Amino acid sequence: MIFVGNDWAEDHHDVYVMDEAGRKLAAKRVGEGIEGLSAFHALLGTHAEDPAQVRIGIETDRGLWVNALVAAGYQVHAINPKAAARYRDRHHLSGAKSDAGDARMLADLVRTDAHNHRLVAGDSAQVEGIKVIARAHQNLIWSRTREANRLRNALREYYPAALVAFEDLDDRDALAVLGRAPDPITGARLSLSQIKTALRAGGRRRYLEATAERIQEALRSEQLAAPAPLVQAHAASTKALVGVLVAFNTQISDLEAQLGQSFEQHPDADIYLSLPGLGDVLGARVLGELGDDPERFADAKSRRNYAGTSPITKASGKRKIVLARYVRNKRLYDAIDQWAFCSLSTSPGARAYYDERRAADYEHHEALRALGNRWIGILHGCLKHRTPYDEHTAWAHRHATAA
């Protein structure tokens, strides 16, 4: 075996090669792209006849470069940057750091501690595509929320009546009306027919009359007024933000449709959709983050640990505490938290489990985390045995124990 450290940057890679005794065999900086990868292969080819004899440490698990290394047959370990930093401190107390030094450190890490670090998962290209769309969809939602908060802060400065009229500023009704009346004077002058026309243009088809009356009453309510020049400036800003939010809504809707289509074509989609609380969006997020490599998780516990739902124990002497796992895949954990909440209204077993935790003095999110941990175990069993979810199978043992 030979051991390789690959410290990557945007336009180059520092490579360090050592043998099983830790002796330096080679060190080189190669470029990015096909030429750099060819030089990388040539360097390793002088020291190993079979790609399976090469173990590589690199601080990322995705990208064209990593995909090419895995496709070549190398054993590629994705090293968490925090773990790499801790390993660096073990050997260099001075705090010195360089790209070449990091490459050497990564080679030494996979030489001595490879068993403690996971290989890059062999997920299919199909699930990688689902993950890309799911993350882009979530990123746009987060960006839309930030812009809506900016709009809310601006309206508070000069147009409080709009905050009375609309609870959700990224909603189609709010955007349709604020696009036509970005200032309080124009808003107060809107007639019922004008408001209904705006709502209809925004996509509303039901309860037009009642909604228009409620909005008109709110926009005409007495509120504090800002100076005219300030109102004019804020109105221009509001109009721009409304345009941005409209664009966000369009793109989020388009991505959601594409996400659902890609997810439903995956072989595991039927199993995910059989679980209470999981639809196309949440199911795609969970699938994308967990991947579809059947060898990635040895058991349900390792899948729970990766999801971040299982607690951690800290014990020293007579002191022992159990804490939530805060180092986790935040996107996956967020999806599981929503999944647990949605399952409360569709699964009697999940509802009973949540109620038991609440009765045991768990806070709401603590109970949801415990339920999410249970769901990950159930999902692991369904995927392992290639069977859809069954309410009785999932929860019957708990009823028998309680009895």
Side-chain angles (χ1 to χ4, degrees):
M1 294 291 297
I2 65 170
F3 305 91
V4 182
N6 185 167
D7 186 76
W8 65 278
E10 185 175 343
D11 59 352
H12 67 268
H13 297 259
D14 283 277
V15 182
Y16 191 99
V17 186
M18 64 174 57
D19 62 14
E20 293 179 346
R23 291 187 295 265
K24 176 181 176 181
L25 298 178
K28 186 176 182 180
R29 173 170 288 188
V30 300
E32 175 69 17
I34 295 178
E35 292 183 2
L37 193 62
S38 298
F40 184 91
H41 290 324
L43 177 67
L44 300 189
T46 60
H47 302 286
E49 297 180 356
D50 186 349
Q53 297 175 316
V54 179
R55 197 179 292 275
I56 301 173
I58 185 170
E59 293 182 69
T60 183
D61 63 351
R62 59 184 181 272
L64 296 175
W65 184 272
V66 173
N67 291 342
L69 297 182
V70 173
Y74 301 127
Q75 298 182 53
V76 183
H77 291 265
I79 309 300
N80 187 291
K82 182 175 290 188
R86 297 293 184 269
Y87 193 88
R88 186 188 305 115
D89 291 341
R90 286 171 54 186
H91 296 273
H92 302 287
L93 298 179
S94 65
K97 184 184 183 305
S98 67
D99 292 344
D102 283 351
R104 183 183 184 282
M105 175 270 296
L106 289 168
D108 201 39
L109 189 154
V110 293
R111 181 179 69 89
T112 59
D113 290 344
H115 59 286
N116 290 321
H117 299 275
R118 63 184 177 88
L119 290 167
V120 172
D123 291 331
S124 67
Q126 187 177 9
V127 84
E128 288 290 341
I130 291 172
K131 180 166 72 172
V132 168
I133 300 174
R135 287 189 170 187
H137 178 261
Q138 191 171 41
N139 288 341
L140 287 183
I141 291 175
W142 287 341
S143 297
R144 180 180 66 181
T145 301
R146 286 194 294 270
E147 297 305 321
N149 288 337
R150 290 192 179 100
L151 178 58
R152 183 176 300 280
N153 290 335
L155 294 174
R156 189 177 291 114
E157 296 291 327
Y158 83 107
Y159 199 174
L163 299 179
V164 177
F166 307 108
E167 182 177 352
D168 298 320
L169 294 178
D170 55 12
D171 182 70
R172 60 186 182 181
D173 290 349
L175 297 176
V177 174
L178 289 175
R180 297 197 176 198
D183 63 86
I185 296 177
T186 306
R189 291 174 178 171
L190 287 176
S191 65
L192 280 177
S193 61
Q194 289 174 320
I195 295 175
K196 285 191 289 185
T197 299
L199 294 176
R200 193 177 290 110
R204 176 172 283 279
R205 295 293 178 266
R206 302 176 63 187
Y207 309 114
L208 271 173
E209 189 73 30
T211 303
E213 290 177 357
R214 178 182 58 78
I215 292 173
Q216 185 186 60
E217 181 181 358
L219 294 181
R220 292 183 176 183
S221 62
E222 293 187 6
Q223 303 287 343
L224 296 175
L230 191 61
V231 169
Q232 186 177 4
H234 275 302
S237 174
T238 292
K239 196 166 187 178
L241 283 174
V242 166
V244 170
L245 288 169
V246 169
F248 270 128
N249 284 343
T250 301
Q251 297 306 318
I252 288 171
S253 178
D254 291 346
L255 272 181
E256 192 168 311
Q258 188 174 354
L259 180 61
Q261 182 179 1
S262 299
F263 171 64
E264 290 176 2
Q265 291 174 353
H266 192 277
D268 293 343
D270 289 341
I271 293 177
Y272 277 83
L273 291 174
S274 71
L275 287 151
L278 283 184
D280 282 349
V281 173
L282 276 182
R285 287 183 185 175
V286 176
L287 171 62
E289 298 301 331
L290 287 176
D292 59 0
D293 181 359
E295 305 300 326
R296 184 175 189 178
F297 302 105
D299 50 29
K301 179 177 174 57
S302 60
R303 191 182 291 269
R304 285 169 171 151
N305 290 345
Y306 181 75
T309 56
S310 60
I312 58 174
T313 301
K314 288 188 175 182
S316 178
K318 296 181 179 179
R319 185 170 180 267
K320 180 179 179 180
I321 58 174
V322 179
L323 302 171
R325 188 181 297 265
Y326 289 107
V327 179
R328 60 201 179 201
N329 182 327
K330 291 182 174 56
R331 291 179 185 271
L332 177 57
Y333 184 84
D334 177 68
I336 293 170
D337 187 67
Q338 293 183 52
W339 172 17
F341 179 76
C342 292
S343 70
L344 295 178
S345 60
T346 54
S347 168
R351 182 79 231 188
Y353 186 88
Y354 171 84
D355 291 340
E356 287 176 11
R357 292 297 178 271
R358 292 289 280 151
D361 292 332
Y362 279 47
E363 297 291 337
H364 170 66
H365 283 290
E366 288 180 307
L368 284 183
R369 182 169 62 245
L371 177 57
N373 195 46
R374 176 66 186 151
W375 277 127
I376 289 295
I378 293 171
L379 172 62
H380 182 82
C382 291
L383 292 172
K384 180 180 179 180
H385 299 290
R386 307 306 303 169
T387 57
Y389 171 81
D390 179 79
E391 180 79 13
H392 178 76
T393 303
W395 303 101
H397 71 286
R398 293 193 58 80
H399 300 323
T401 302

